[in-house]
């Protein structure tokens, strides 16, 4: 597989593989975290920007690494912002 540039857009399958998560979890998180906004192309294909991937990494760390609930992560996003969660990731 060809290695992508760090600033390249990634498909849902690439992001899911990088984060070791099923694709349906990423789609579910999009419904719970309005801050995740991948580009959607024809046929509904998702393309994640590097910022989206960083945010997903942070959310994954908070949920699985630190034991936060979805509501807890939503609160952190509201109060501390997207940048803070990206830094956690």
């Amino acid at each position: 597989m060809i290695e992508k540039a760090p600033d390249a857009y990634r498909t849902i399958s690439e992001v899911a593989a990088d984060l070791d998560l099923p694709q349906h979890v990423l789609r579910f998180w999009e419904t719970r975290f309005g801050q995740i906004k991948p580009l959607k192309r024809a046929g509904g294909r998702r393309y994640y920007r590097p910022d989206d991937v960083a945010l997903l990494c942070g959310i994954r760390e908070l949920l699985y690494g630190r034991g936060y609930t979805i509501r807890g992560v939503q609160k952190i996003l509201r109060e501390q912002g997207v940048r803070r969660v990206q830094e956690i990731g």
Side-chain angles (χ1 to χ4, degrees):
M1 191 167 139
I2 300 167
E3 193 59 38
K4 286 191 170 183
D7 58 347
Y9 287 32
R10 292 184 161 39
T11 64
I12 191 168
S13 57
E14 291 169 327
V15 175
D18 287 350
L19 296 180
D20 194 26
L21 291 168
Q23 293 179 25
H24 70 88
V25 170
L26 298 179
R27 288 191 290 271
F28 173 72
W29 285 358
E30 280 178 40
T31 69
R32 292 292 175 259
F33 305 107
Q35 297 86 349
I36 305 170
K37 295 185 187 85
L39 254 130
K40 290 200 183 144
R41 289 282 150 91
R45 287 184 57 100
R46 290 166 167 79
Y47 290 96
Y48 293 89
R49 301 168 193 85
D51 277 354
D52 295 323
V53 177
L55 178 57
L56 288 166
C57 286
I59 290 171
R60 183 184 188 283
E61 169 59 23
L62 288 168
L63 289 173
Y64 298 154
R66 302 188 188 180
Y68 279 85
T69 61
I70 285 180
R71 193 167 277 174
V73 176
Q74 288 169 334
K75 185 172 194 264
I76 291 171
L77 281 163
R78 235 186 356 265
E79 294 175 359
Q80 300 178 30
V82 171
R83 284 271 166 251
R84 176 71 187 114
V85 175
Q86 289 171 332
E87 289 164 7
I88 290 169

